Amino acid sequence: MVRLSGCCRGFPAAVPGEPGRSGFPDIVLGEWGRPGFPDIVLASGAYWDCGRRQACRRQEVCAAVKKHGKQYFEGRYYKHQKGDRTLSLIVGRTGREPFIQVITESGSVTVPMQPGNHVSNRGIRLNLETPELTVRGAIRYHRLSPIAGDIMGPFRFFPMECRHSIVSMRHRLTGSLTVNGERLDFTGGLGYIEGDSGCSFPSSYTWIQANDFPETCAVVAAVARIPCCGLHFRGCICVIQYRGREYRLATYLGVRVLACTSRRIVLVQGPCRLEIRIHAGEGFRLAAPQKGRMERTIRETVSCPAEFHFSIRGKTVFRMVSHHASFEHEEEDGVLQGDGTRRRGT
């Protein structure tokens, strides 16, 4: 069982286990009624798992689509990594239009969702074929690692431009995909799942995720410029799972962002300090939501080296390097810089 540290009080313990234990519904885009997959259909063409929250979640999504129409987006990010090979999927919809983005170390492609493709918290089964991309195969997910409570904390009760969720920090993979004729075997590899929904991505944000450490460890951190109730503030969320403990650093828990650039992130909350040094290239272009439409362009480095140093009361808890961290950094006028400075730099 995941035990909560002194940096992360007030959240119920989460229990890693098989898909569905996290309490998040599965989103499956593809054909209806295929054996082994959910068969509840929404008008948008999305299918939701019959889990504990299926009924209320279905009502929530339908209400959001009805309220926001074309200004609503929802998507999930699925990362698959083994050795030096990484493949990530962004699966979702804008309004009523489902799509899928495929991201590798060599580039990214966005295509409309095609029949015969299934993506869920249990795994993926792909049969994509376009003039520039062919992907076929299946990967299953084993023993998801959910976090202890909603990552949005009390902000889940406020109207937000973008709502974030974390489904699994780290899980094992079995299966393979053939991408443009090249077979990628992910059996024994690691996966990660998160989600976003709302109207637009933040205008400025930094995001990093890693779980390929020498020890069992997973880290995700994000800093963003958040509009809320007519004001703007710099928000931060971060989760660390290490040796059976979960640590959370967040705006609603008093975290301070001492540095946030394209090369370095420093977070301090009470006795806890996390410093990340990133060695990322320019990354590849991705489509991102802007007022519910995939009209914005951002850049993601799907795999890059990053150094993580986490300490409590000055004593090192771990200092490790991830060679396959995923990283995004979008900034306007230095608004993400720490301690009030608005300068750019590293």
Side-chain angles (χ1 to χ4, degrees):
M1 178 175 291
V2 176
R3 295 169 292 169
L4 300 184
S5 74
C7 298
C8 151
R9 294 186 179 133
F11 295 91
V15 182
E18 291 302 319
R21 292 293 297 278
S22 64
F24 286 89
D26 292 346
I27 177 172
V28 183
L29 303 177
E31 294 180 339
W32 183 26
R34 289 289 296 272
F37 286 88
D39 58 359
I40 293 179
V41 63
L42 298 181
S44 61
Y47 304 88
W48 295 88
D49 193 14
C50 305
R52 289 183 300 170
R53 297 187 177 180
Q54 184 276 321
C56 62
R57 181 58 177 154
R58 182 184 182 190
Q59 294 175 359
E60 177 185 334
V61 174
C62 287
V65 172
K66 183 177 180 180
K67 177 180 179 180
H68 299 287
K70 293 182 179 180
Q71 290 192 337
Y72 179 77
F73 82 91
E74 182 166 21
R76 289 276 175 87
Y77 179 89
Y78 301 83
K79 181 179 177 180
H80 313 83
Q81 182 267 322
K82 179 185 178 182
D84 292 331
R85 306 312 301 263
T86 303
L87 183 144
S88 294
L89 302 175
I90 299 175
V91 183
R93 60 174 169 268
T94 54
R96 299 181 181 276
E97 301 175 3
F99 67 89
I100 181 168
Q101 293 191 79
V102 181
I103 313 157
T104 67
E105 298 96 335
S106 59
S108 65
V109 178
T110 303
V111 298
M113 179 57 74
Q114 303 171 0
N117 293 277
H118 302 269
V119 182
S120 80
N121 296 350
R122 295 178 173 86
I124 62 173
R125 182 185 299 146
L126 299 182
N127 184 20
L128 290 172
E129 187 165 358
T130 70
E132 56 187 341
L133 176 71
T134 300
V135 183
R136 292 188 176 90
I139 300 175
R140 301 294 290 183
Y141 305 151
H142 306 277
R143 293 191 61 79
L144 302 189
S145 295
I147 65 172
D150 194 323
I151 189 59
M152 296 295 291
F155 288 107
R156 67 186 182 274
F157 300 114
F158 291 83
M160 305 294 289
E161 178 184 52
C162 182
R163 296 180 181 275
H164 195 69
S165 63
I166 298 175
V167 181
S168 176
M169 293 285 290
R170 188 178 189 272
H171 51 268
R172 287 293 176 180
L173 310 174
T174 57
S176 64
L177 297 174
T178 299
V179 182
N180 290 341
E182 181 182 2
R183 184 175 182 270
L184 307 180
D185 184 7
F186 287 103
T187 298
L190 296 170
Y192 169 79
I193 307 173
E194 68 172 29
D196 287 289
S197 64
C199 296
S200 302
F201 268 13
S203 59
S204 298
Y205 72 94
T206 296
W207 169 87
I208 188 167
Q209 177 276 329
N211 57 18
D212 66 315
F213 295 101
E215 300 181 59
T216 301
C217 179
V219 180
V220 63
V223 179
R225 184 175 186 263
I226 308 297
C228 182
C229 301
L231 303 174
H232 288 83
F233 65 93
R234 186 183 56 200
C236 174
I237 52 175
C238 174
V239 176
I240 302 167
Q241 290 185 348
Y242 177 65
R243 290 187 175 180
R245 289 181 178 268
E246 180 174 302
Y247 306 86
R248 183 177 302 191
L249 291 76
T251 298
Y252 50 83
L253 295 176
V255 70
R256 291 184 295 139
V257 181
L258 301 189
C260 183
T261 73
S262 61
R263 292 289 179 264
R264 183 169 175 257
I265 301 171
V266 180
L267 308 178
V268 174
Q269 180 179 295
C272 302
R273 176 186 172 94
L274 175 66
E275 181 170 357
I276 308 172
R277 293 187 177 271
I278 305 111
H279 307 280
E282 187 174 339
F284 294 105
R285 294 178 180 272
L286 298 180
Q290 183 70 33
K291 294 185 178 179
R293 301 182 66 87
M294 301 297 284
E295 296 180 342
R296 180 180 173 187
T297 299
I298 63 172
R299 288 185 175 272
E300 176 178 329
T301 302
V302 73
S303 179
C304 68
E307 306 165 33
F308 294 77
H309 181 202
F310 182 55
S311 61
I312 300 179
R313 296 182 178 88
K315 182 178 180 180
T316 295
V317 178
F318 65 79
R319 184 194 296 267
M320 294 187 287
V321 175
S322 164
H323 294 283
H324 303 284
S326 295
F327 179 68
E328 297 176 7
H329 180 76
E330 300 286 324
E331 186 172 7
E332 297 177 350
D333 300 326
V335 297
L336 299 182
Q337 296 291 321
D339 284 355
T341 178
R342 297 178 67 84
R343 300 187 305 270
R344 285 187 178 273
T346 58

